[in-house]
Amino acid sequence: MKYSLLALTILLPLAAGLTQPAAAATPAAVHDALVKAIQGPQRTPAFVKRDRYRHPLKTLEFFGIRPDMRVVEVLPGAGWYTEILAPFLRDRGTLIEATPVTSSPNPFMRKEAIAYQRKLASDPAVYGRIRREPFEPPAYMALGAPDSADMILTFLNMHDFMYANVHGGVTDVIIDRFFRNAFQTLKPGGILGVVAHRAAASMSVTQSFKLARLPQAFVIEQAEQAGFRLAGTSNISANSKDPRNMPVFDLPPTLAQGSKDRAKYEAIGPADDMTLRFVKPATVGK
């Protein structure tokens, strides 16, 4: 698969340990509100332990989030970022969770949806104002009305938008649909924030998504094809020890291999992640 020249040039500064220009400096009041949410009592202790790897403060500041935004979080999983976004946006903004429904025909998705619903119901003071949008690829992928969101966020889900058929043929039509739906849902000037597990630049998409990874140039190109402009890249959650050619779930915190080669995987640490900020141009075509 070929990547655009613009997408490939992104890899050069990354290899040198550099990044594209960051977002404007975060106002002090926004910074303080984020810190308060991150340090709040609603956080699950096991989630807090991963802050040093996921860097939620730096990540959300890089994306340029504000407490008065209408934000869509895509596939929140167990709610790692929900615990931070919900109190941060509760009083002045809106948090919409694009998540599977409890009646999903997919057993895994149904189980995940039920657990997430219980989480939200467990603390109405924190989660009571969250809105939900049914979202379950590849069948249901709407993210909201056109031009309705200020920001869309997706954390560690990019590989979930790649599919292979029974013959092993790989299609990127689902990831394309995600980016196009995100583009449609965002207001002009709106931000799409992506954190995803990074594959080696030379690895094919066909191979990498099965490791829960994607090449960074591929992700950038897919977003650009949908109309987005790359507004910034960051190594906030990069890990140079990760060779980027092994299954993500073999690494911490999952350690899927159990005791086998555990010391090796722990020495590597969590997967190398890309952090990308895209913008929907204020004028389409610009």
Side-chain angles (χ1 to χ4, degrees):
M1 186 171 292
K2 296 180 179 179
Y3 306 133
S4 69
L5 179 61
L6 175 59
L8 288 172
T9 59
I10 299 303
L11 299 178
L12 297 177
L14 285 173
L18 303 175
T19 64
Q20 296 294 306
T26 304
V30 176
H31 173 87
D32 291 346
L34 280 171
V35 170
K36 182 179 180 181
I38 291 167
Q39 296 179 349
Q42 82 285 350
R43 300 285 313 282
T44 300
F47 290 179
V48 173
K49 289 181 179 180
R50 294 190 64 198
D51 283 3
R52 66 191 181 110
Y53 300 120
R54 300 193 69 174
H55 311 287
L57 178 62
K58 290 182 179 179
T59 300
L60 293 173
E61 289 188 333
F62 176 74
F63 291 149
I65 198 168
R66 301 189 312 271
D68 59 347
M69 281 182 162
R70 184 180 179 92
V71 178
V72 181
E73 183 189 12
V74 180
L75 293 176
W80 200 96
Y81 261 102
T82 307
E83 292 186 351
I84 297 169
L85 295 171
F88 178 74
L89 296 166
R90 178 178 172 82
D91 293 337
R92 298 171 56 198
T94 301
L95 176 58
I96 300 166
E97 296 290 353
T99 181
V101 296
T102 56
S103 59
S104 170
N106 182 308
F108 174 80
M109 292 292 190
R110 184 168 62 250
K111 180 180 179 180
E112 189 173 76
I114 291 172
Y116 187 68
Q117 178 172 276
R118 287 173 178 166
K119 179 182 186 67
L120 300 189
S122 69
D123 196 342
V126 174
Y127 307 117
R129 295 185 182 177
I130 289 177
R131 302 181 186 180
R132 278 181 281 179
E133 181 76 33
F135 185 89
E136 186 175 327
Y140 304 103
M141 298 186 67
L143 291 170
D147 300 337
S148 63
D150 299 296
M151 179 175 284
I152 294 175
L153 300 173
T154 174
F155 300 100
L156 310 182
N157 293 314
M158 278 290 105
H159 58 278
D160 291 321
F161 302 137
M162 296 298 300
Y163 283 79
N165 63 25
V166 293
H167 304 293
V170 176
T171 175
D172 58 7
V173 69
I174 306 305
I175 197 170
D176 179 74
R177 188 188 304 171
F178 165 74
F179 280 118
R180 292 184 186 280
N181 286 353
F183 189 88
Q184 181 183 50
T185 300
L186 283 168
K187 300 174 184 177
I191 298 295
L192 171 64
V194 174
V195 178
H197 299 309
R198 186 158 41 209
S202 60
M203 184 177 290
S204 70
V205 174
T206 301
Q207 180 184 3
S208 68
F209 89 97
K210 296 174 183 178
L211 307 178
R213 303 174 183 268
L214 287 173
Q216 180 165 320
F218 171 76
V219 176
I220 292 171
E221 182 176 62
Q222 291 294 310
E224 290 176 338
Q225 287 179 351
F228 283 104
R229 177 176 61 83
L230 180 65
T233 69
S234 175
N235 278 335
I236 292 169
S237 295
N239 179 7
S240 60
K241 294 181 180 180
D242 178 10
R244 295 180 285 174
N245 61 4
M246 61 177 61
V248 164
F249 302 113
D250 286 354
L251 298 172
T254 307
L255 293 169
Q257 296 294 329
S259 59
K260 180 182 178 182
D261 295 326
R262 188 182 186 96
K264 178 184 77 171
Y265 295 132
E266 288 182 332
I268 293 172
D272 176 55
D273 293 337
M274 65 184 93
T275 303
L276 312 173
R277 187 176 73 253
F278 298 99
V279 63
K280 176 177 178 177
T283 302
V284 176
K286 296 290 186 179

